Amino acid sequence: MQEKNRGLALFTFLVFVFLLGPLLIISVTSFEGGNILKFPPEQFSFKWYINIFDVQMFLTTFKTSIIVSLAGNLLALLIGVPAAYALSRFDFKGKNIVDAIFVSPILIPGIVLGFSFLRYIVGVYQLPIYAALFIGHTIIMLPFIIRVISSSLSNFDFSIEEASESLGASKLRTFFTIVLPNIKSGILAAIMIAFLESFNNVDISVFMTGPGVSTFPIQMLTYVENYFDPTIAAISVLLMIITAFFMFMVERLMGLSYFTKR
């Protein structure tokens, strides 16, 4: 039994090394003082972190990604909150089909989805690049918004809503004064998870960007094609810190157990 526990502990350790090892290597190489990305670093310097803010295209594309993610997040919320409420509150014919349609963007491979967006949103409807990015990112955020809010609603006691209506409150007033305040933590968690999905997206964005318009992850790929310095490693470290902070906030708001209930 003791040997079995040791074997399990060794296996767990190797899994963590496999998962976290590349992140640790990237973090260390981001402090390389030379002009070439190498591990282990021969010098120690913060100059590549400073260089991030000296490259104008990083600042421009960062702003683009923030705007697209926030705007898409807002529209996804306007669609996703009522959809999650309807799917959680009511039983109706075709409910499973509707649920499957909303979840489908995370089930379809990103390259296939991105090419479909390129073919129809850009090719057929000839929408501007910003509008195409906005629509595409809204669609990929919807499943996360709906699933997280639905998980939050699964713990909501709808008898409270019925009691409010029985006391004379309208359905709309009840929704805004009773339902929404009770699931606000779920809504905040959904916003953060959807934002991360949109901001870090590559497979959709690479099809939707065009001349003069790019997102931050796509600009990182372009930079790697032309330069081999530790700037991208420095950016990756900052993105890891931001992602870890967001996931910590999600855990504080809801707990990871919420996402395993459905």
Side-chain angles (χ1 to χ4, degrees):
M1 188 68 175
Q2 188 175 3
E3 292 181 359
K4 183 178 179 181
N5 291 336
R6 288 178 180 177
L8 181 60
L10 177 62
F11 177 76
T12 304
F13 173 76
L14 292 176
V15 169
F16 274 99
V17 170
F18 177 77
L19 294 175
L20 301 179
L23 303 182
L24 179 61
I25 292 174
I26 289 295
S27 299
V28 173
T29 55
S30 68
F31 296 102
E32 166 63 40
N35 295 322
I36 301 296
L37 184 69
K38 62 179 67 173
F39 180 83
E42 297 178 355
Q43 307 173 44
F44 183 86
S45 174
F46 285 96
K47 71 176 185 178
W48 300 112
Y49 287 90
I50 299 174
N51 186 56
I52 297 172
F53 302 95
D54 292 333
V55 180
Q56 183 60 40
M57 285 307 298
F58 283 147
L59 301 180
T60 302
T61 54
F62 181 82
K63 181 180 178 181
T64 299
S65 290
I66 290 291
I67 293 173
V68 169
S69 297
L70 290 178
N73 212 321
L74 177 60
L75 181 58
L77 275 175
L78 293 176
I79 299 173
V81 172
Y85 175 78
L87 291 171
S88 300
R89 182 72 174 89
F90 306 110
D91 288 322
F92 52 89
K93 187 176 181 180
K95 176 180 176 179
N96 292 334
I97 297 176
V98 173
D99 189 28
I101 291 173
F102 279 124
V103 177
S104 61
I106 60 176
L107 301 178
I108 301 173
I111 294 179
V112 175
L113 196 62
F115 180 76
S116 301
F117 289 163
L118 175 66
R119 175 68 178 83
Y120 292 100
I121 296 178
V122 178
V124 176
Y125 297 105
Q126 298 292 317
L127 292 180
I129 294 176
Y130 278 108
L133 275 172
F134 172 66
I135 294 173
H137 279 246
T138 299
I139 291 174
I140 63 174
M141 282 190 277
L142 260 178
F144 298 93
I145 295 287
I146 292 176
R147 299 301 286 183
V148 174
I149 295 178
S150 294
S151 295
S152 185
L153 283 167
S154 66
N155 283 346
F156 176 71
D157 186 358
F158 286 103
S159 63
I160 301 175
E161 180 186 27
E162 295 171 357
S164 175
E165 293 176 4
S166 68
L167 293 173
S170 65
K171 289 185 177 295
L172 192 62
R173 182 179 180 183
T174 298
F175 180 77
F176 282 103
T177 60
I178 301 297
V179 179
L180 285 185
N182 279 278
I183 61 170
K184 61 182 179 181
S185 61
I187 294 175
L188 291 174
I191 290 173
M192 287 188 281
I193 292 175
F195 176 84
L196 286 176
E197 170 63 20
S198 173
F199 185 85
N200 294 322
N201 182 269
V202 173
D203 43 12
I204 302 297
S205 299
V206 74
F207 286 97
M208 310 300 286
T209 52
V213 179
S214 184
T215 61
F216 193 64
I218 304 303
Q219 182 59 38
M220 291 174 63
L221 290 176
T222 303
Y223 190 89
V224 169
E225 292 176 356
N226 298 285
Y227 303 95
F228 197 64
D229 58 50
T231 301
I232 297 301
I235 294 176
S236 300
V237 172
L238 295 180
L239 291 179
M240 282 190 285
I241 294 173
I242 293 172
T243 301
F245 172 75
F246 270 62
M247 296 313 298
F248 171 77
M249 293 303 298
V250 170
E251 169 63 19
R252 294 288 294 176
L253 287 169
M254 297 186 65
L256 294 178
S257 60
Y258 269 72
F259 306 104
T260 61
K261 291 178 180 178
R262 293 196 55 170

